[in-house]
Amino acid sequence: MLSGLVIVDKPQGWTSHDVVGRMRRIAGTRKVGHAGTLDPMATGVLVLGINKATRLLTYIVGTSKTYTATIRLGESTITDDAEGEVVSRASAASVTEDAIRSGVESLTGEIQQVPSSVSAIKVNGERSYARVRSGEDVQLAARPVTIHRFDIHGIRRDQAAGHDTDVVDVDVTVECSSGTYIRALARDLGNSLGVGGHLTALRRTSVGPYSLDQARTLEQLAEDLEVLEMSQAARALMPNRNLSAEETTEISFGRRIAAGAAAGTPAAATAEKPAAAFAPDGSLVALLADSGSFAKPVLVFAPGTGPGGSNSSAPGGSNTSGTGGSGTGSGVPGRSGADGGGQA
């Protein structure tokens, strides 16, 4: 059975769910999931898991993401990006480069960010975007995110198409923690400068250790399905632990073994951030968490061969596909996850 990660260069206009559906047909399996939603407007890296590799997706969702983007100052939209209706305009002619750079600096580091109201965050059991679409004024609570890098590459002055409003387009690169909304950064930068702002372009260039260099279009994948084998995927994603033959046998039955070298330190493997354990032949056996003097399996991928053997899952393992949904709506698109990933 084919299992592994597929790094897709998502096309504009496609939901992440659309891409999952297409990959199910290409790979010939229903068990396909993704590691963090990209809005339809966005392009770039979308990590998919096939079959057993869907179990790795939960550990990819929480990794940092990197984007290139264009922020337009002088216009605000209902969705904080170019897919939504413009709700206000203000000339950005007097906004200086120094002011823009100062605004970007204030949005770098650990910040409190209010997600876009047109998101899939639930408010009293209902998606926020659905409430906005029905005319409700939704105010979401701020949440902590980390902007590791917010670099400006270009500042261009223009006029909005069909209007005499002076706008400023700012090309940026953002490296951020999981859960960050890039369109909320655009909104907040514009608001801090008193002219409003929204996102006009977004391309995700990396998700954790996986980058555009590895990504392929759906057309390319339909011709030649390139799959990152599970052992390779896990080696790049997690701390590595090489097992002896005896340890491999024990873990394959879901039993404990001696803790790893980092046990008792901040670098110790945990259930949330496990280590990838490899058999002497280099194959991925399990994901391990240290607990005291022992390491125990979080997930087991290599099945045992006798009584008590595991069929690719250990206590705490997941059998879900990891597939994220993607809401849609007329006029106000539904958004399933943060532009920076981590919500779906």
Side-chain angles (χ1 to χ4, degrees), residues 1-7 22-33 48-56 221-222 224-232 301 312:
M1 179 173 62
L2 178 68
S3 293
L5 298 183
V6 179
I7 317 301
R22 179 71 175 116
M23 184 51 57
R24 285 172 173 161
R25 294 190 291 275
I26 291 173
T29 177
R30 292 288 302 169
K31 198 167 185 182
V32 177
L48 304 185
I50 296 176
N51 292 320
K52 289 183 181 180
T54 57
R55 301 179 184 209
L56 294 177
L221 291 166
D224 180 17
L225 180 56
E226 293 188 28
V227 177
L228 186 63
E229 191 269 330
M230 287 180 58
S231 295
Q232 292 177 289
F301 295 100
S312 76

Side-chain angles (χ1 to χ4, degrees), residues 34 61 90 110 133 158 215 240 256 267 295 332:
H34 66 72
V61 166
E110 296 180 359
R133 192 166 57 205
D158 201 351
N240 296 174
R256 301 184 302 176
V332 181

Side-chain angles (χ1 to χ4, degrees), residues 188-234:
D188 292 344
L189 177 61
N191 289 345
S192 73
L193 295 168
V195 296
H198 71 281
L199 201 66
T200 62
L202 182 66
R203 184 160 175 76
R204 188 154 67 187
T205 58
S206 71
V207 174
Y210 314 114
S211 70
L212 272 177
D213 292 341
Q214 299 164 282
R216 299 292 180 267
T217 66
L218 289 169
E219 290 78 13
Q220 289 172 324
L221 291 166
E223 291 288 332
D224 180 17
L225 180 56
E226 293 188 28
V227 177
L228 186 63
E229 191 269 330
M230 287 180 58
S231 295
Q232 292 177 289

Side-chain angles (χ1 to χ4, degrees), residues 95-102 152 155 157:
V95 176
T96 65
E97 180 175 337
D98 285 345
I100 295 171
R101 293 189 180 279
S102 179
I152 297 174
I155 297 175
R157 298 182 183 273

Side-chain angles (χ1 to χ4, degrees), residues 104-237:
V104 164
E105 184 176 356
S106 70
L107 290 169
T108 304
E110 296 180 359
I111 65 172
Q112 292 287 323
Q113 184 183 75
V114 177
S116 172
S117 60
V118 185
S119 69
I121 294 172
K122 287 189 175 181
V123 180
N124 296 327
E126 187 177 4
R127 300 291 186 187
S128 178
Y129 67 78
R131 290 177 174 270
V132 171
R133 192 166 57 205
S134 66
E136 185 176 336
D137 181 18
V138 177
Q139 300 294 325
L140 298 175
R143 55 183 61 188
V145 298
T146 301
I147 311 302
H148 304 292
R149 182 161 60 100
F150 197 166
D151 297 336
I152 297 174
H153 302 298
I155 297 175
R156 305 185 308 279
R157 298 182 183 273
D158 201 351
Q159 281 195 328
H163 299 273
D164 57 3
T165 305
D166 291 303
V167 296
V168 177
D169 289 332
V170 185
D171 298 322
V172 301
T173 293
V174 178
E175 181 183 352
C176 56
S177 64
S178 172
T180 303
Y181 284 78
I182 306 301
R183 51 199 162 98
L185 286 179
R187 175 201 66 203
D188 292 344
L189 177 61
N191 289 345
S192 73
L193 295 168
V195 296
H198 71 281
L199 201 66
T200 62
L202 182 66
R203 184 160 175 76
R204 188 154 67 187
T205 58
S206 71
V207 174
Y210 314 114
S211 70
L212 272 177
D213 292 341
Q214 299 164 282
R216 299 292 180 267
T217 66
L218 289 169
E219 290 78 13
Q220 289 172 324
L221 291 166
E223 291 288 332
D224 180 17
L225 180 56
E226 293 188 28
V227 177
L228 186 63
E229 191 269 330
M230 287 180 58
S231 295
Q232 292 177 289
R235 282 190 187 279
L237 181 65

